[in-house]
Amino acid sequence: MDNIFHPESLMMSHGFHAADHQGAIKCPLFQNSTFAFRTAEAGKSFFELAYGLRQKVEGEETGMIYSRLNNPNLDLVEKRLALWDGGEEAAFFASGMAAISTLVFTFLKPGDCLLYGAPVYGGTDHFFNYVLPSFNIDVIKFNASDSFETIVKRTESANHGKIPGLIYTEIPGNPTISLVDIDMCKQLANHFEKDGKRPILAVDNTFLGPVFQHPLKFGADISLYSATKFIGGHSDVIAGACVGNSNLIGQLKCMRTFFGCMLDPHSSWLILRSLETLKIRMEQQALNARKVAEYLQKHPAVDKIHYLGFLKDSDSQKAIFEKQCLSAGSMISFEIKGGEKEAFLFLNNLKLFKLAVSLGSTESLAEHPATMTHVDVSAEDREMLGINEKLIRLSIGLEDADDLIKAIEHAFNKVF
Ligand SMILES: *Cc1c(COP(=O)(O)O)cnc(C)c1O
């Protein structure tokens, strides 16, 4: 019956039966490393499932074994996240980077190739460009503005006919909020299909998902998250997640068992709490962001603003936005008049906002990508992507929007 309700209605109940837990309204915290089997036969049967030695029988629940493999809090948070993305299953990880690195090492082996859309999160960029080559994994990059034909040509000429095993994009791209067409990526995956093997398409959906963008509906195989951001939403937990079909998520969970990078029970429990308010937080943050963006757009100290709500009809990004995004979200980047000096003065005088990296939390945050989150991105790429010393990134939280504007105005007045 749960399939007739919206995810926001199910975050308080789906998959949990109070009667099985002394009437507890919320799922208790299962702070256990291991679980007692009722009988040796039960233990044997659980292991058969865990190691894929047999298929689940109709309606069978996976028995609890050991918290690196499964745990009731982890299990429940995975069931609930999957509902938002319309995926069959989800897997939670100890961080967004754990999700990304497990994804890559599940689907790519030495000699394989990764095709990715830039810009990506600074940690992802470093992992792709500095770590993967040392594992003999080739890395090919495209930009949001590149056409299908350009990407195909570049990939084929760089790669001596080898097809990419994984196509990875972050939508919107961080920090310039650029959009890549998921459908075009799907066509790339289809184009590169060879001998029945099609590249896996993964979308980092951290900035808009899982409320405002659903990559699986547009043909992505995996919707990936830093759940540290909107999903966690309170700046008190580090976590990551992947959502997709049971086959792919099963492979990720298998690799996760050996990397040991599952999410711990307490963090899973915190995210169960967070999922209950996910939609209302993201919607209010998006409303606040619109007000702040409208203020910034008119301000003479602002040279340029990156915000999905201001895309022009003439901009090809607008059509992608209308096709695959349900809201402009709550991330804004803007260029302040001047340079690093003005940007720093602004940040140092900004009240209410915390000067911190991360995003998507209840509190508003501000940072300077060129010297902070993206300092490790090559100068050439920073230039190409518009990550310059004037750029300031804001993550808008749940404070009163007019108060946020007052705080920004105060900071501008200190600079100019
Ligand atoms: C933060 C972030 C990550 C990395 O996630 P962690 O939870 O910090 O490991 C990956 N992608 C995006 C878009 C992010 O913002």
Side-chain angles (χ1 to χ4, degrees):
M1 154 134 217
D2 273 3
N3 58 3
I4 66 166
F5 297 124
H6 292 87
E8 60 269 34
S9 305
L10 294 171
M11 287 305 109
M12 285 62 92
S13 61
H14 182 70
F16 178 72
H17 307 288
D20 299 342
H21 298 90
Q22 303 179 330
I25 285 289
K26 298 291 167 187
C27 181
L29 170 56
F30 288 84
Q31 193 69 52
N32 306 287
S33 58
T34 194
F35 297 85
F37 307 132
R38 228 173 293 222
T39 60
E41 288 77 7
K44 175 182 174 185
S45 153
F46 293 175
F47 267 92
E48 284 171 348
L49 261 195
Y51 281 83
L53 302 177
R54 67 173 174 86
Q55 294 294 308
K56 259 187 202 178
V57 298
E58 183 73 23
E60 183 178 8
E61 288 280 326
T62 315
M64 292 299 147
I65 298 175
Y66 182 69
S67 288
R68 180 158 47 75
L69 281 74
N70 55 7
N71 173 285
N73 296 117
L74 180 61
D75 208 47
L76 190 60
V77 79
E78 288 173 344
K79 284 196 175 112
R80 290 190 181 170
L81 179 67
L83 293 177
W84 288 99
D85 260 313
E88 287 174 3
E89 268 189 57
F92 264 93
F93 297 84
S95 66
M97 285 313 302
I100 292 163
S101 51
T102 306
L103 172 90
V104 167
F105 286 127
T106 300
F107 298 118
L108 296 178
K109 306 282 171 286
D112 287 347
C113 143
L114 165 75
L115 174 64
Y116 84 96
V120 287
Y121 174 72
T124 311
D125 186 277
H126 183 96
F127 177 65
F128 286 175
N129 290 302
Y130 297 94
V131 178
L132 292 186
S134 69
F135 284 83
N136 191 23
I137 291 173
D138 289 341
V139 178
I140 301 171
K141 178 166 55 178
F142 67 90
N143 301 322
S145 56
D146 288 341
S147 69
F148 176 87
E149 291 73 23
T150 309
I151 301 169
V152 167
K153 219 154 114 199
R154 183 175 314 143
T155 309
E156 289 178 345
S157 62
N159 217 23
H160 316 293
K162 254 192 302 178
I163 65 154
L166 177 66
I167 301 176
Y168 181 100
T169 100
E170 188 175 311
I171 312 173
N174 175 19
T176 48
I177 337 265
S178 54
L179 296 174
V180 172
D181 186 347
I182 300 172
D183 187 48
M184 188 269 289
C185 294
K186 172 76 179 176
Q187 288 171 32
L188 283 171
N190 290 339
H191 176 87
F192 289 124
E193 180 165 350
K194 199 170 159 185
D195 306 328
K197 217 175 156 253
R198 194 173 54 83
I200 303 288
L201 171 58
V203 173
D204 185 330
N205 198 28
T206 300
F207 272 43
L208 284 179
V211 173
F212 297 141
Q213 185 172 256
H214 301 110
L216 303 182
K217 293 195 177 132
F218 296 91
D221 298 304
I222 302 277
S223 176
L224 181 146
Y225 297 97
S226 167
T228 309
K229 316 294 166 52
F230 290 97
I231 292 175
H234 294 70
S235 295
D236 56 6
V237 61
I238 295 274
C242 290
V243 186
N245 71 34
S246 297
N247 171 25
L248 296 179
I249 298 298
Q251 292 181 54
L252 289 172
K253 283 183 176 170
C254 180
M255 195 62 100
R256 183 183 70 177
T257 295
F258 302 108
F259 285 172
C261 58
M262 72 296 150
L263 193 61
D264 68 279
H266 184 238
S267 299
S268 302
W269 183 85
L270 282 169
I271 291 191
L272 282 169
R273 165 225 45 189
S274 295
L275 285 177
E276 298 187 5
T277 56
L278 178 66
K279 189 173 185 199
I280 190 171
R281 281 187 284 109
M282 288 193 77
E283 285 182 339
Q284 186 60 47
Q285 284 172 254
L287 286 174
N288 287 356
R290 172 158 283 281
K291 283 194 180 171
V292 171
E294 279 167 359
Y295 166 81
L296 285 171
Q297 191 185 31
K298 290 191 205 106
H299 202 284
V302 173
D303 270 348
K304 187 172 180 180
I305 178 161
H306 303 276
Y307 169 66
L308 287 177
F310 293 157
L311 295 174
K312 297 201 175 60
D313 287 336
S314 56
D315 187 341
S316 61
Q317 295 266 297
K318 176 91 178 240
I320 304 175
F321 176 76
E322 291 189 333
K323 182 161 67 168
Q324 73 192 29
C325 311
L326 300 170
S327 160
S330 50
M331 297 300 297
I332 303 169
S333 300
F334 70 95
E335 290 181 10
I336 191 168
K337 270 208 163 46
E340 183 181 293
K341 179 170 156 272
E342 286 75 13
F344 279 17
L345 249 176
F346 174 86
L347 289 168
N348 289 338
N349 284 287
L350 194 54
K351 309 264 184 235
L352 285 182
F353 287 77
K354 299 283 181 296
L355 175 52
V357 299
S358 198
L359 57 108
S361 184
T362 51
E363 74 285 334
S364 293
L365 299 173
E367 67 116 0
H368 189 247
T371 59
M372 296 170 190
T373 44
H374 291 69
V375 67
D376 204 34
V377 175
S378 71
E380 181 197 342
D381 277 8
R382 279 208 304 269
E383 163 87 29
M384 180 183 66
L385 301 166
I387 306 171
N388 56 40
E389 55 180 26
K390 302 155 65 166
L391 194 71
I392 290 169
R393 187 183 79 179
L394 303 178
S395 167
I396 304 299
L398 290 174
E399 302 87 348
D400 179 83
D402 294 323
D403 286 350
L404 292 174
I405 291 168
K406 266 184 229 160
I408 292 171
E409 189 154 79
H410 171 82
F412 275 143
N413 290 341
K414 290 276 178 188
V415 184
F416 298 103

